[in-house]
Each structure stands twice: as structure tokens, then as C-alpha cells.
């Protein structure tokens, strides 16, 4: 199913031109128009899913396979020294377009980017409570 007002649906299905790096029946990978680094790409499913929670398990698995294939190619062809695979869910997590997508961000020693977080301190007791909350 596609959303008529979703820009990523339109790009993924070829209605809006893009620099397509890869395409198959289910996905299109494009260069990001606002890249974090040289070669920053987006993996877009052709069907509309707002986020990871709506994505069927089979499609999620295929997205990772496509990500690996493209990441391998980027590492070889771009000469990057690393690569971030980023996927945000919800506004609080930084999602700005509500069509599931994954970012492939090649990393270079001098790219000036910092994708990460500040680790917090947590006690074993707190970890235990969180574990119980999730697993019980």
C-alpha cells in the first residue's frame, strides 16, 4: 500500500526523480539530498510503513540484507573508513519523514560528524528493574 501524500512513497516508486543507487521489486536506495557525509544514502521500501513497528518481519529482514549489500559496495567504492546504519522511529527519536527508511552513512576520519550518545551511569539494581519490566 502506498500513501498518496508521502514523499518517500513517491521517490521509492519513481514518481519523483532521484539518484538511485539500487532498486529491486521492494526497495529503492537513493542518495540523500541533505547528506551527513559523502555518499549518505537512504533505503526506502516501495510500500508505505510509518516506522519499524508497522514493518512486516520479512520486509525488515530484507531491508537489512539490502543494507549489507549496499554497505559493502560503499566501503569498497567510496574508500570510507566506517559506516553507520541509522533507523529512527518517532519524532522523539529524530524521525522527520514518517515512512520507514534506513540511513547508510559512510564515515571518514575528517567528516566532522558525531553520531552517538553520552553513556549514562546505571546501577545493577536499575538494570535489574529494567530487565524485569521488559522481560516479565
Amino acid at each position: 500500500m502506498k500513501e498518496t501524500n508521502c514523499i518517500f512513497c513517491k521517490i521509492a516508486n519513481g514518481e519523483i526523480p532521484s539518484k538511485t543507487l539500487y532498486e529491486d521489486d521492494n526497495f529503492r536506495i537513493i542518495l540523500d539530498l541533505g547528506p551527513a557525509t559523502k555518499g549518505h544514502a537512504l533505503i526506502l521500501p516501495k510500500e508505505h510503513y510509518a516506522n519499524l513497528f508497522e514493518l512486516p518481519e520479512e520486509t525488515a529482514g530484507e531491508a537489512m540484507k539490502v543494507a549489507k549489500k549496499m554497505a559493502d559496495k560503499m566501503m569498497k567504492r567510496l574508500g570510507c573508513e566506517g559506516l553507520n546504519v541509522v533507523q529512527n522511529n518517532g519524532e522523539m527519536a529524530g524521525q522527520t519523514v514518517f515512512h520507514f527508511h534506513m540511513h547508510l552513512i559512510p564515515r571518514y576520519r575528517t567528516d566532522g560528524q558525531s553520531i552517538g550518545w553520552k553513556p549514562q551511569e546505571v546501577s545493577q539494581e536499575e538494570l535489574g528493574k529494567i530487565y524485569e519490566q521488559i522481560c516479565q
Side-chain angles (χ1 to χ4, degrees):
M1 181 165 133
K2 293 153 191 66
E3 291 280 327
T4 56
N5 293 325
C6 176
I7 190 154
F8 279 3
C9 280
K10 292 176 181 178
I11 294 169
N13 290 284
E15 296 172 40
I16 295 175
S18 64
K19 296 289 186 201
T20 299
L21 303 175
Y22 172 87
E23 182 178 12
D24 63 23
D25 291 342
N26 300 312
F27 296 95
R28 182 182 296 255
I29 302 177
I30 64 166
L31 287 175
D32 194 308
L33 292 178
T37 65
K38 174 185 166 188
H40 180 167
L42 300 176
I43 300 172
L44 307 173
K46 291 184 176 181
E47 294 295 322
H48 184 83
Y49 307 101
N51 53 43
L52 180 66
F53 310 112
E54 290 186 5
L55 197 67
E57 285 186 20
E58 183 177 317
T59 306
E62 289 301 313
M64 283 305 285
K65 289 177 184 177
V66 169
K68 182 188 179 333
K69 185 185 301 185
M70 183 54 61
D72 288 342
K73 188 173 188 176
M74 293 169 107
M75 290 291 291
K76 291 175 186 158
R77 301 272 178 94
L78 295 174
C80 50
E81 301 168 74
L83 189 132
N84 291 106
V85 178
V86 178
Q87 200 283 307
N88 303 317
N89 295 283
E91 188 176 340
M92 186 55 64
Q95 185 178 12
T96 58
V97 178
F98 294 90
H99 177 111
F100 172 88
H101 58 286
M102 295 171 64
H103 296 259
L104 297 178
I105 306 172
R107 299 306 304 273
Y108 308 91
R109 194 161 307 281
T110 59
D111 65 27
Q113 294 292 344
S114 65
I115 299 171
W117 54 86
K118 180 183 172 193
Q120 299 180 24
E121 291 187 26
V122 61
S123 70
Q124 286 299 313
E125 182 180 337
E126 288 175 286
L127 285 176
K129 287 178 183 176
I130 295 165
Y131 171 83
E132 287 178 18
Q133 188 175 7
I134 295 170
C135 294
Q136 302 300 326

